[in-house]
Amino acid sequence: MRGAGALRGIAAFALAWALAAPALALDANRATAAELETMRGIGPALAARIVEARRERPFSDLDDLGRRVRGIGEAKLRRLREAGLVVGSAGHVQRFVGQPVATQPKRSRSAKSAQPDVAAAARSR
């Protein structure tokens, strides 16, 4: 009976860790050099090269980062991916749907006058 409780505790910890892992992701297109340096395998020189390559144009994915930044080979890229380095995670993508307020067509007066004027009706009572 005692082993079952320990097993449940381990399973709960593993589940919590799995759910927390995406929160530990670091976006290479947004992170500062100091934040990049917190990742195992990225020192000051590599962090500076990542930031410099990103200034030229943002990375499209981790493979793009690996191609453009000197010092990142397949093995290091795999380790960085496993450590939580991402590029433009889906949770950060913002997409605008519709027209900006300034370009929306204005409502015509006829549409406005077709609506009953509740305030005027209340005053006439």
Side-chain angles (χ1 to χ4, degrees):
M1 197 69 175
R2 192 174 203 185
L7 187 59
R8 269 185 263 149
I10 292 170
F13 177 76
L15 178 62
W17 181 258
L19 293 174
L24 301 175
L26 185 64
D27 187 348
N29 278 334
R30 294 174 180 241
T32 64
E35 290 170 332
L36 288 168
E37 288 178 40
T38 64
M39 297 202 80
R40 184 180 179 106
I42 299 181
L46 184 55
R49 288 195 302 268
I50 291 171
V51 170
E52 186 59 35
R54 179 179 72 202
R55 278 192 196 126
E56 293 172 15
R57 89 176 171 276
F59 302 111
S60 60
D61 55 24
L62 278 177
D63 294 324
D64 181 36
L65 182 142
R67 284 187 300 271
R68 292 173 39 201
V69 178
R70 184 177 48 86
I72 298 183
E74 289 182 33
K76 182 169 283 236
L77 187 61
R78 180 178 32 77
R79 286 192 300 272
L80 292 174
R81 185 177 276 131
E82 290 168 357
L85 188 65
V86 297
V87 171
S89 62
H92 294 284
V93 175
Q94 294 180 349
R95 184 168 293 165
F96 178 75
V97 179
Q99 295 178 337
V101 174
T103 61
Q104 287 181 347
K106 293 184 178 181
R107 292 189 340 188
S108 66
R109 289 216 178 263
S110 61
K112 214 176 198 181
S113 62
Q115 296 175 349
D117 188 359
V118 178
R123 285 188 300 245
S124 66
R125 288 183 191 179

